[in-house]
Amino acid sequence: MSIAFANEVTVWIVGATLAALLAAALAIGVLSAAGKISVPLRHELWLRLGSWCGLFPVMIVPVLLGREWTIAAVTLLSLACYREYARATGLFRERLLSLAVVLGLLAANFAALDNWYGFYVALWPLTASILAIVSIPQDRPAGYIQRVALAVFAYMLFGAGLSHLSFMANDPGYRPIILLLLTTVALNDVAAFTAGKLIGGPKLLPATSPNKTISGALGAVAVTTLVVTLLGGALFEGTVLSFAPWLILLGLLVSVAGQAGDLMLSSIKRDLGIKDMGVVLPGHGGILDRFNSLLLVSPIIFHLVHYVIGLGTGQPTRLITGGG
Amino acid sequence: MDFKLRPARDLGLAPGERMRSLKRESGLFGTVTSGLWRRATRLYLRLAHRLEVVGRENLPAAPPYVLIANHSSHLDALTLAALPRGEAARGVRALAAGDVFFGSGRTTAFAAYAINALPVWRGRMKRGDLATLRQRLVEDGLVYIIFPEGTRSRTGEMGEFQAGLAMLVGGTGVPVVPCHVSGAFEAWPAARRFPRPGRVRVRIGPALDFSAVANDRAGGLSLAQACQKAVEDLR
């Protein structure tokens, strides 16, 4: 317990998350009682809040429990996201390619568990090569570009991309960093939704996502950048990253990459002609509908932080394979 | 089959609903579990029932096709499912009685993930359900296992074939392969809870082509009669 909450930023984030859930419940309750919101909107808000109440413990508890738990949770999340993607795009019918993506995804998370950065980095081009090669012996050139491109894209998002969250867990101070990402990405979505509803105005990209407005996008950028800058200031105190321009860049990237991930999934869904990727989470749709914002945030923020102050530097490497 | 950028037919169904859906398409997990089950049943049939297959050359080279047979035991379905190889084996779907195989959660999971069955609800099938089955047979290149008697014979004697088969294959050109299973009733009749060892033999006849048969009542009766005769001739 004391290790889990060793950093005060962890305490703040977990406390603020609980407070936000309570405040949201109160706000919806008050607005409903006053008759300020329509019945369908009220229903949607309660469903979303209910899903958040279930999701937050599933997201936060493994991070608090420890490195291995975090990596296990990220691996399961990646597999669940890939499953939805494969079933939505039809890639699941390509068993060999699908198996190769899953094995690549497991290998990336194993490299994180092993804290073997060389292997981890090598896996991206190696898996892409394997995906390009593996279906050639089937002698079915028709559709080759589509199926291989879909598989490489899948590995990029759910293998190489999301596993950066796993690799972050090798840093002794990983808890507040990962919690910061998980919660601010969620905050980013909520801020965009709320600012869009409150301010309204012109649509952002009506063909891609008809409900998103420019005001929502800018509101999210403002709120998320502010929160990340403030929390980051405490979290990275005494390091180069506590320099204000770095923190603002960090906040901007979380918000912009988060929204880009959301819009990326909207583009995928529009292209396929489907509304949701799944039915697991009431009010949200599939797991991927909820975690789309993390897909691009994870690698981008990992590499920014790693570049500026280093993540996991000085920690023992190759814990399982040895030779580190 | 060429790659198509097309969502799973069962997309958007909740897990329980999906397992009972005629639109269910297997993913990696389902392919592995049903593959293991298929290998286990082949081994079981070889060891416990010394399964003998006559006329394997009559199986079409590639799916889609429909396997039909006399029905007096659960071993019939296991025996027919053990016949196709390769891609055809992965495409095998037994059309199974919904009330027996998809009644409880446990049997549903078993039917969906091990035997890869699709539920047929006696007297409750809608026209849309049959259209789905027909479409999937042709488009997904499946192999259906169908027992046209509709239920297991309680005496071991073959009953009359029902006309419903025509609604699946009439006019499609999908070959129907008649089979006759012997020894299964003695090993595992409907009255027994568990099977006992005993020789099982299956004879496979030449495929029947019903592309000229209309998908209507008259067509259904003539198709059922032709199928019944083809299976009887294999005895």
Side-chain angles (χ1 to χ4, degrees), chain B residues 25-44:
Chain B
E25 286 194 80
S26 304
L28 266 188
F29 181 73
T31 305
V32 169
T33 52
S34 58
L36 289 173
W37 171 255
R38 192 167 59 240
R39 281 166 182 78
T41 50
R42 273 194 199 137
L43 185 68
Y44 165 76

Side-chain angles (χ1 to χ4, degrees), chain A residues 114-130:
Chain A
D114 193 29
N115 196 11
W116 185 4
Y117 194 67
F119 181 47
Y120 182 66
V121 171
L123 269 171
W124 190 187
L126 292 180
T127 310
S129 306
I130 288 170

Side-chain angles (χ1 to χ4, degrees), chain A residues 82-84 86-96 98-99 102 140 142-144 146-147 150 271-272 274 276-279, chain B residues 1-15 17-18 23-29 31-32 86-87 90 113 140:
Chain A
Y82 173 65
R83 180 179 180 273
E84 287 184 355
R87 297 197 74 79
T89 56
L91 187 61
F92 76 103
R93 296 188 190 95
E94 300 290 332
R95 283 183 294 273
L96 205 56
S98 222
L99 182 67
V102 168
R140 286 166 49 219
Y144 174 84
Q146 291 97 319
R147 60 179 195 257
L150 276 173
D271 197 6
L272 293 167
I274 58 175
D276 287 325
M277 300 298 279
V279 287
Chain B
M1 201 171 20
D2 286 351
F3 178 78
K4 286 193 184 70
L5 188 67
R6 193 189 69 202
R9 293 179 188 276
D10 52 32
L11 195 83
L13 296 180
E17 211 182 333
R18 177 178 166 252
K23 295 180 176 172
R24 189 186 70 242
E25 286 194 80
S26 304
L28 266 188
F29 181 73
T31 305
V32 169
E87 193 57 36
R90 282 187 286 272
Y113 283 104
D140 296 357

Side-chain angles (χ1 to χ4, degrees), chain B residues 44-45 48-52 69-79 153 155-158 179-190 192 194-203 234-235:
Chain B
Y44 165 76
L45 288 169
H49 300 286
R50 288 169 291 147
L51 178 66
E52 186 191 350
N70 55 319
H71 196 21
S72 58
S73 163
H74 284 317
L75 284 176
D76 301 332
L78 296 184
T79 303
S153 158
T155 60
E157 289 302 309
M158 200 165 102
C179 305
H180 186 273
V181 184
S182 53
F185 179 75
E186 291 72 17
W188 196 7
R192 279 182 71 92
F194 295 106
R196 59 187 157 200
R199 194 176 189 87
V200 172
R201 172 199 268 203
V202 57
R203 277 176 181 277
L234 290 169
R235 272 196 291 203

Side-chain angles (χ1 to χ4, degrees), chain A residues 71-90:
Chain A
I71 294 173
V74 173
T75 309
L76 288 177
L77 173 68
S78 308
L79 287 171
C81 287
Y82 173 65
R83 180 179 180 273
E84 287 184 355
Y85 169 93
R87 297 197 74 79
T89 56

